[in-house]
Amino acid sequence: MNSENLHADAIQISQQQSWDTPVVCRVEVDLPAWMSQLTGRDDWQVYDEQEDDAYMTFAMRQGRQNAEVTLYHTGYAVVDVDGRAIFEGALTTATSECAHLSYYRADSGELITLN
């Protein structure tokens, strides 16, 4: 085998190992800004939050309106305003300009930069 083939094989093995590495995706969202985007009304405030193994729920208000935002650890989100669902789906940068996704290696916590 020549050195070019060895180098190509090493790159292929490295790429395969990268695909086999467990990755954690973290979604961060600016809740007041997201609520403004969804409702067209500013000044939303978080007044309570609860955490469970599978999700986090935030109680919010803006004037007399009340909202409940549930963010599941799977990336799924549900938003209700005064008992009416206004958002249900995946929270990504495609569904909200207020969301920021980061990826980390599960084994080391090292940030993964995507090109």
Side-chain angles (χ1 to χ4, degrees):
M1 244 186 190
N2 64 31
S3 65
E4 285 181 20
N5 287 343
L6 288 174
H7 183 68
D9 288 343
I11 290 173
Q12 185 176 5
I13 289 169
S14 175
Q15 288 175 342
Q16 182 60 45
Q17 288 173 342
S18 294
W19 284 109
D20 293 340
T21 302
V23 174
V24 173
C25 177
R26 178 178 174 177
V27 178
E28 297 174 75
V29 62
D30 178 343
L31 288 176
W34 189 36
M35 289 300 294
S36 294
Q37 176 188 348
L38 291 173
T39 65
R41 300 183 73 186
D42 292 332
D43 300 326
W44 285 94
Q45 297 177 351
V46 175
Y47 68 88
D48 190 28
E49 64 183 75
Q50 296 178 359
E51 187 168 356
D52 184 83
D53 288 341
Y55 60 86
M56 291 185 71
T57 299
F58 300 89
M60 301 182 73
R61 70 175 73 142
Q62 192 279 337
R64 292 184 177 183
Q65 283 192 309
N66 291 303
E68 183 176 275
V69 178
T70 304
L71 304 175
Y72 293 88
H73 297 310
T74 60
Y76 193 79
V78 176
V79 179
D80 292 331
V81 174
D82 291 332
R84 193 182 104 236
I86 63 168
F87 181 90
E88 189 170 340
L91 179 58
T92 66
T93 52
T95 58
S96 174
E97 59 194 34
C98 302
H100 174 75
L101 280 66
S102 301
Y103 301 92
Y104 300 88
R105 289 180 56 110
D107 57 354
S108 67
E110 177 184 348
L111 178 66
I112 298 170
T113 304
L114 303 176
N115 294 330

